[in-house]
Amino acid sequence: MPDLFDERKKQVLAPVFFEAGAALYDCQSFEYGIAYLLYLFSRLGATGLDPAHCGAILDGEEKKTAGQLAQLLRKHLRISEGLEEGLGNALRARNHLVHRFLIENVERMLEVREHDALVKEIRGLRSTVRQCQKQLDPFVRALAQSLDGAPLDMWAIDAKEKFLRDSREH
């Protein structure tokens, strides 16, 4: 017999949890993007970056936090003030989303009238993370194209087409 409270909680909190899940995905993409950028630069021969080590980080064989990845980026590459500011803002937003946001707002989640505001706050934090990702993307795209000869857009288009095709079948 389904628990009435759990069923109601899923229904009422769905928008908050959907946005929190999307935020988690953005945070993981941001983190992976930094690791991938380090890997690409290591393949170009950036001083102090070893391709095998960066590949292990990218594959999850060696654990690094987003903050540690940003430190590696700062240590081994010259980055602009704008990117430095973006990284700092994105890391703060990412850490708040991943480590604190839901638990700090559990009382607000009990108030249905607060849900729209919670969703808006999550979207604001997500936007901060995504803005930094957009700052990193041109470098990632150019390096991937240069090193591997295939534009990242090609893989993204293929993935979107597959998703749309598969979602129509269900």
Side-chain angles (χ1 to χ4, degrees):
M1 178 174 169
D3 182 324
L4 186 59
F5 176 76
D6 282 342
E7 290 299 316
R8 182 71 177 140
K9 181 175 71 172
K10 283 180 193 175
Q11 178 186 20
V12 171
L13 289 174
V16 174
F17 287 154
F18 174 84
E19 202 64 40
L24 180 60
Y25 177 76
D26 288 342
C27 291
Q28 290 177 359
S29 296
F30 167 64
E31 209 165 320
Y32 189 86
I34 297 171
Y36 188 48
L37 184 60
L38 288 165
Y39 174 69
L40 292 169
F41 271 112
S42 75
R43 288 177 54 205
L44 277 178
T47 305
L49 292 176
D50 174 54
H53 180 247
C54 289
I57 293 169
L58 195 60
D59 292 338
E61 295 166 8
E62 183 174 325
K63 304 296 181 202
K64 294 285 184 198
T65 66
Q68 290 169 326
L69 291 170
Q71 276 304 107
L72 284 172
L73 197 63
R74 291 176 181 116
K75 179 180 178 182
H76 296 290
L77 303 168
R78 185 175 297 166
I79 61 174
S80 70
E81 285 184 32
L83 181 54
E84 177 64 42
E85 183 180 346
L87 273 172
N89 291 339
L91 285 170
R92 281 187 293 282
R94 176 244 179 242
N95 289 342
H96 188 64
L97 282 164
V98 170
H99 299 294
R100 307 288 315 162
F101 188 85
L102 292 176
I103 201 68
E104 284 180 354
N105 288 290
V106 73
E107 290 178 6
R108 290 176 66 200
M109 285 191 268
L110 297 173
E111 301 290 332
V112 174
R113 60 183 159 71
E114 285 289 317
H115 292 182
D116 288 341
L118 288 168
V119 166
K120 186 175 181 179
E121 288 172 37
I122 295 169
R123 285 182 180 157
L125 292 166
R126 282 182 67 199
S127 175
T128 300
V129 172
R130 291 173 68 146
Q131 285 173 9
C132 187
Q133 183 70 42
K134 287 178 186 176
Q135 287 178 287
L136 296 173
D137 277 348
F139 300 105
V140 170
R141 289 178 189 283
L143 290 172
Q145 172 72 39
S146 173
L147 290 167
D148 298 323
L152 291 178
D153 292 338
M154 180 183 72
W155 292 310
I157 290 167
D158 289 345
K160 286 178 184 178
E161 287 175 359
K162 181 180 179 353
F163 177 80
L164 290 172
R165 185 174 51 251
D166 290 351
S167 66
R168 281 188 285 246
E169 294 172 5
H170 296 293

